[in-house]
Amino acid sequence: MSTRYPFTAVVGMDDLRLALLLNAVSPAVGGVLVRGEKGTAKSTAVRALAELLPAVPVVAGCRFSCDPGSPDGGCPDGPHETGPGAERPARMVELPVGASEDRLVGSLDIEKALSEGVKAFEPGLLASAHRGILYVDEVNLLSDHLIDHLLDAAAMGSSYVEREGVSVRHAARFLLVGTMNPEEGELRPQLLDRFGLTVEVAASRDPQQRVEVVRRRLAFEDDPAAFADRWAADESALRERIVTARALLPQVRLGDAVLLQIAATCAAFEVDGMRADIVMARTATALAAWAGRTEVTSEDVRQAALLALPHRRRRSPFDAPGLDEDKLDETLEEFKGQDQEPDEDPEPDGPGDGGPGDGGPGGGVPPQSDGPAAENSPAPEETSPPAPPAPSPEPAPQGAGSGERAAVAASEPFRTKVLSVPGLGEGAAGRRSRARTEHGRTTGSVRPRGSLTKLHLAATVQAAAPHQKARGRTGPGLVVRRDDLRQATREGREGNLVLFAVDASGSMAARQRMSAVKGAVLSLLLDAYQRRDKVGLITFRGRDAEVALPPTSSVDAAAARLEKLPTGGRTPLSAGLLKAHDVLRVERLRDPSRRPLLVVVTDGRATGGGADPVALAARAARLHAADGTASVVVDCETGPVRLGLARELARELGGTAVTLDELRADSIAGLVRDVQGNRKTTARRAA
């Protein structure tokens, strides 16, 4: 087994280390979601935690790691008798991003179950992680249905596998740790809520601390065993402290005054539901046990709020993470009342008693004896949509060739009409366009290719029935062979690549108009986030077009780029369409199953890009039509006299046009047209 980097050798990262240790003390806290930029030792810290967990007693030969002191009554390998068992180290099981549902929850041998009536179950990763750690790197890139299975098991402590009337249940209690880079996309709010704690990590900006990180990493890579031996005493001391805190946890008292502070804090920050209150209570209790106390204090509540609430108060992906600490302190002070906690907390004897800067109340994380002081790194800022600007008289925009203007704030986002790609796709699971998926309504059956995952029972029986006499079956029952099995085909929804091409030219630069345009694009970005799409952003102005944001799953990154978008100059419409064509061509090679939707936001005027900009724009539009790219033109033309150029562009693209007013979901006009209906124009032109 390879040597892991010691947990106590991690430099800084106080909040991360504290959150992991609190879950090690009390797994009921609900796990940790670690958010941060690449290269910040997220995975290193999580893998190191597994070495600190105490050994686990298990029933010998049980594939589901049952506790010999209180075995699971429903264990598929049971029943087990209470008695002495064997010990094994706590496991850390890693869930790959590309794992299948069967690999996660386990699989049934359906053929054997049908033909022999035997429940032949092969445990999955959830069973392997029972009483250990389940680590999901890049959790935001997992398919939604896998995340649902994962978090349901974490919440209930059990995993259920049901296939065509055959069901298996087994215990699945584990410490769930997920890591993610927000630049690659966010988790849905309801999934964020299922993680007990969240931590934002960023690389230190202190040169001395960065030097220490490099020094330790190089020393570890040169001689892992010697480096681990150097930290063995600190690791052993921390392991003992975890055992001590676990033993003290049942004795910790959560007083009524502290409960009132917890409830008041959750109410003040307007978090949804009651899960936040429960998680805060469990976290504050674990903090007291970690500090060696049997009373929970206000400081414990404050630290618990900083770990348990930031990811629960975000209302949209454009909201900045974090808490207003001044508001938090005011709330705690207001509801302090008759505080029964002692003024001074007793400090336990032993390693890592801590002090100022130790990362948590009553000791926090252990001090680092051979490195610089730990640093609480600030959470990276994210852009949130500002309030719509107050209308003010603006000079009429200059014509072609006007100079660059400052960025204009976006108006408030709104709920948009659904834009979808026609036909039936086979892309990643999402919520936009129709597609063949593993989950959804059953639409038919096919012969399985490879392993059978979703049995179509009626089709299987229908295929087997004509052959019963030849197979010697004369009485009741059915002889089913491999050739009779039929795989169910299902139809659901997929996520698409939504590529925005935004006109930022002088003709679009009137402040109120550009504010409305940015508000519309923000609305579409929010819709793309909710429907699990990838998004890209192209802007065109002056003489050329540029890729402001390559296709990504991070809609908040797209919103940040949009907010800073400058305007002015001519309108190189053809350059914008050609740049979009190049981006889509590359993306088709990278991910051929993900279908694109091109959204062009413009008033349709073409005043730059060549000798005949209108003809060049029409020619570029026909390239997209020839590729069969689904497209929508958001017509931004305003005023009493309208030229209808955006609708002409939509006809050349073989797509549809919609005004800013029609884009709203509550618009009376509505978006009744379907993108597919405009394909007839392309077909007639090709004929």
Side-chain angles (χ1 to χ4, degrees):
M1 181 178 178
S2 60
T3 303
R4 285 178 176 158
Y5 193 89
F7 188 86
T8 50
V10 175
V11 178
M13 304 283 203
D14 285 0
D15 287 344
L16 170 58
R17 293 189 294 147
L18 179 61
L20 292 172
L21 290 170
L22 292 177
N23 274 273
V25 171
S26 175
V29 167
V32 186
L33 176 64
V34 187
R35 295 162 44 93
E37 59 197 26
K38 52 187 176 294
T40 49
K42 302 186 296 291
S43 300
T44 299
V46 175
R47 293 188 176 101
L49 179 68
E51 297 296 321
L52 297 175
L53 298 182
V56 178
V58 296
V59 174
C62 178
R63 298 174 298 166
F64 300 87
S65 302
C66 283
D67 185 351
S70 56
D72 180 16
C75 176
D77 283 356
H80 304 300
E81 294 183 359
T82 303
E87 278 197 350
R88 64 161 175 78
R91 291 177 183 157
M92 192 193 77
V93 178
E94 296 193 40
L95 175 63
V97 171
S100 66
E101 180 181 346
D102 287 346
R103 184 73 185 98
L104 176 65
V105 303
S107 59
L108 288 167
D109 188 337
I110 299 178
E111 182 177 3
K112 193 171 184 180
L114 285 174
S115 59
E116 302 178 21
V118 177
K119 293 183 180 180
F121 179 70
E122 183 66 27
L125 295 177
L126 292 178
S128 299
H130 180 44
R131 305 176 69 200
I133 300 174
L134 182 59
Y135 172 48
V136 188
D137 194 14
E138 307 294 352
V139 64
N140 52 325
L141 302 183
L142 276 181
S143 299
D144 284 351
H145 71 282
L146 290 184
I147 297 177
D148 291 337
H149 282 301
L150 186 67
L151 296 179
D152 283 345
M156 296 186 296
S158 300
S159 175
Y160 294 84
V161 184
E162 299 195 14
R163 299 285 168 83
E164 302 297 341
V166 181
S167 64
V168 172
R169 187 210 68 86
H170 64 83
R173 295 183 294 275
F174 46 80
L175 167 55
L176 176 63
V177 182
T179 58
M180 59 175 281
N181 183 349
E183 294 178 356
E184 296 174 336
E186 289 284 356
L187 283 171
R188 303 199 312 264
Q190 57 268 47
L191 299 182
L192 281 172
D193 186 51
R194 302 297 285 271
F195 282 94
L197 310 179
T198 186
V199 178
E200 297 277 345
V201 296
S204 172
R205 300 298 182 255
D206 179 6
Q208 293 299 324
Q209 196 170 59
R210 295 175 76 98
V211 166
E212 185 63 21
V213 171
V214 175
R215 182 183 291 120
R216 293 187 187 185
R217 188 69 206 185
L218 293 178
F220 174 74
E221 291 176 356
D222 288 343
D223 192 342
F227 186 84
D229 289 341
R230 175 182 165 190
W231 294 90
D234 292 333
E235 292 281 290
S236 178
L238 190 57
R239 191 177 295 109
E240 288 298 323
R241 187 173 177 185
I242 292 174
V243 173
T244 302
R246 282 186 173 185
L248 183 62
L249 187 66
Q251 305 173 35
V252 176
R253 178 178 175 273
L254 193 67
D256 290 342
V258 171
L259 278 173
L260 180 60
Q261 286 184 314
I262 291 173
T265 301
C266 293
F269 285 99
E270 300 179 350
V271 296
D272 296 330
M274 295 297 298
R275 186 174 282 116
D277 304 63
I278 296 170
V279 170
M280 274 189 64
R282 289 172 174 167
T283 304
T285 303
L287 279 163
W290 178 246
R293 290 183 272 102
T294 57
E295 290 281 342
V296 177
T297 68
S298 294
E299 277 301 308
D300 295 330
V301 176
R302 186 182 192 279
Q303 183 67 56
L306 293 174
L307 294 173
L309 297 187
H311 61 302
R312 292 185 165 90
R313 58 159 294 277
R314 298 186 74 188
R315 300 295 178 180
S316 81
F318 309 137
D319 291 340
L323 290 182
D324 182 343
E325 295 195 31
D326 291 337
K327 180 179 178 180
L328 174 60
D329 291 335
E330 291 173 3
T331 303
L332 292 175
E333 184 63 30
E334 179 183 354
F335 289 89
K336 192 171 184 179
Q338 299 294 323
D339 198 344
Q340 301 174 3
E341 286 80 5
D343 293 333
E344 295 184 359
D345 302 329
E347 299 286 345
D349 295 330
D353 288 353
D358 226 10
V365 296
Q368 296 168 333
S369 58
D370 194 20
E375 171 182 286
N376 286 324
S377 302
E381 293 185 0
E382 296 184 26
T383 302
S384 61
S392 58
E394 291 290 332
Q398 301 295 323
S402 61
E404 181 173 322
R405 303 170 188 270
V408 179
S411 63
E412 196 68 22
F414 51 83
R415 189 167 62 91
T416 67
K417 287 289 187 181
V418 179
L419 307 177
S420 61
V421 179
L424 192 64
E426 295 181 348
R431 296 183 174 184
R432 184 171 297 277
S433 306
R434 294 174 55 225
R436 296 184 184 90
T437 59
E438 292 185 1
H439 297 268
R441 63 186 183 90
T442 301
T443 58
S445 64
V446 294
R447 288 181 179 272
R449 298 181 216 173
S451 60
L452 179 68
T453 56
K454 299 290 184 182
L455 178 72
H456 194 299
L457 185 58
T460 298
V461 172
Q462 187 175 4
H467 308 289
Q468 296 307 297
K469 186 175 181 180
R471 294 172 185 174
R473 172 67 67 182
T474 57
L478 195 69
V479 177
V480 179
R481 294 181 180 174
R482 176 71 186 177
D483 291 342
D484 302 325
L485 298 179
R486 294 294 182 268
Q487 176 87 22
T489 58
R490 299 172 183 263
E491 183 180 310
R493 294 282 171 176
E494 67 177 357
N496 299 112
L497 166 59
V498 182
L499 182 63
F500 295 93
V502 180
D503 183 349
S505 64
S507 64
M508 296 279 291
R511 179 171 295 273
Q512 291 184 10
R513 184 192 303 181
M514 201 62 195
S515 175
V517 168
K518 285 188 175 183
V521 178
L522 275 179
S523 304
L524 290 167
L525 284 172
L526 182 59
D527 181 68
Y529 161 74
Q530 294 168 340
R531 298 185 187 281
R532 315 303 292 167
D533 296 318
K534 289 180 68 175
V535 296
L537 179 62
I538 292 172
T539 63
F540 52 95
R541 56 182 290 272
R543 297 183 178 179
D544 204 358
E546 66 173 345
V547 180
L549 183 73
T552 176
S553 296
S554 178
V555 296
D556 52 342
R561 301 292 175 87
L562 179 72
E563 198 62 39
K564 300 174 182 177
L565 178 66
T567 60
R570 293 180 178 270
T571 310
L573 181 56
S574 60
L577 295 174
L578 289 174
K579 182 68 72 174
H581 187 266
D582 290 341
V583 170
L584 293 179
R585 177 178 55 82
V586 173
E587 287 302 311
R588 283 190 180 99
L589 296 175
R590 289 178 177 172
D591 190 357
S593 64
R594 188 181 288 270
R595 298 185 296 161
L597 174 63
L598 176 63
V599 179
V600 185
V601 184
T602 181
D603 57 7
R605 299 181 184 180
T607 59
D612 190 350
V614 175
L616 289 175
R619 188 180 306 169
R622 287 194 289 271
L623 287 176
H624 289 281
D627 289 341
T629 302
S631 58
V632 175
V633 178
V634 179
D635 185 358
C636 302
E637 192 174 26
T638 58
V641 179
R642 304 190 183 188
L643 304 178
L645 299 176
R647 296 192 178 275
E648 179 60 31
L649 174 63
R651 283 193 292 271
E652 294 289 354
L653 285 167
T656 188
V658 54
T659 65
L660 290 176
D661 289 337
E662 291 173 333
L663 189 62
R664 293 179 179 271
D666 55 356
S667 169
I668 297 177
L671 183 59
V672 182
R673 311 170 194 83
D674 188 89
V675 183
Q676 189 174 16
N678 288 271
R679 292 290 178 86
K680 297 177 181 178
T681 305
T682 306
R684 287 197 300 270
R685 188 179 291 115

